[in-house]
Amino acid sequence: MSQSRAAVELLAGWVVERVPAGAAAWFRAQLEAVPRAGDDKPLYLALGFAPRRLGKADLRLSAAELEAARRLRPGLDPVDWSVDQAARLALVLASHDGDDRRFKERLETLFRTADIGETIAFYRGLPLYPAPELLLARAREGARSGMRPVFEAVAHRNPYPAERFDENAWNHLV
């Protein structure tokens, strides 16, 4: 199983355990629809509806769930993530069809049209995305953000900058 698929399953499990049955059923249906769609419309709709359908409560992950996150991706620390953020990341990851360049282009489109909540979620997903080398310019842009929550999504509890930034980008981040 690919890391992206494993991440979708882990994130989806967290979400489904924390929302009412009807919301969980809606979310599962979206996770199935997104990769089967011929276009990105189901993804965009699901991302927009996620906070309304699933809520914005903190995930409040257990020690075992945090350990599962670290096993999936060393350095991953989703301790302060919310239900809608985990759901949005699962949906974005579910859209990956094996074409890393197309995934990067889709992610760039999402960033350009995102509200602040989506932007934070998308930046928190940096360590989970396939082809992380293609996302370096985007990560650097988030690290330069004047919006504190966006900067924190890149700089705090995120292993991506330490692993990918060159010395100049790292020094700017610090």
Side-chain angles (χ1 to χ4, degrees):
M1 176 186 316
S2 73
Q3 181 177 344
S4 291
R5 187 71 218 152
V8 170
E9 289 185 16
L10 182 66
L11 295 168
W14 294 344
V15 171
V16 167
E17 288 179 17
R18 288 164 173 81
V19 299
W26 173 85
F27 180 58
R28 283 191 204 104
Q30 303 314 303
L31 283 174
E32 290 176 16
V34 164
R36 289 185 306 189
D39 62 19
D40 290 335
K41 185 176 180 181
L43 173 63
Y44 299 151
L45 290 172
L47 289 171
F49 279 113
R52 286 176 253 171
R53 293 288 191 117
L54 305 170
K56 296 181 181 183
D58 292 340
L59 280 175
R60 294 190 178 116
L61 298 171
S62 69
E65 290 169 322
L66 290 170
E67 182 55 34
R70 288 183 199 97
R71 279 193 312 272
L72 172 71
R73 175 62 168 80
L76 183 63
D77 186 0
V79 71
D80 58 354
W81 290 12
S82 62
V83 169
D84 65 304
Q85 289 171 347
R88 284 172 161 164
L89 289 177
L91 290 161
V92 169
L93 288 164
S95 76
H96 183 250
D97 62 2
D99 185 334
D100 294 342
R101 295 231 178 254
R102 186 167 43 213
F103 180 81
K104 179 204 180 274
E105 291 169 12
R106 179 181 300 117
L107 197 56
E108 285 298 326
T109 299
L110 290 171
F111 270 108
R112 282 192 302 274
T113 60
D115 66 22
I116 187 71
E118 291 167 330
T119 300
I120 292 165
F122 298 154
Y123 275 119
R124 285 185 164 179
L126 283 169
L128 297 174
Y129 298 140
E133 66 281 358
L134 298 178
L135 304 173
L136 190 55
R138 171 54 62 188
R140 289 181 72 156
E141 184 173 323
R144 290 190 299 267
S145 175
M147 292 183 281
R148 184 176 176 174
V150 172
F151 171 82
E152 289 174 350
V154 176
H156 295 182
R157 303 180 192 275
N158 190 335
Y160 187 94
E163 295 169 357
R164 299 284 171 180
F165 280 12
D166 61 20
E167 184 176 358
N168 184 43
W170 180 257
N171 289 340
H172 182 83
L173 178 78
V174 173

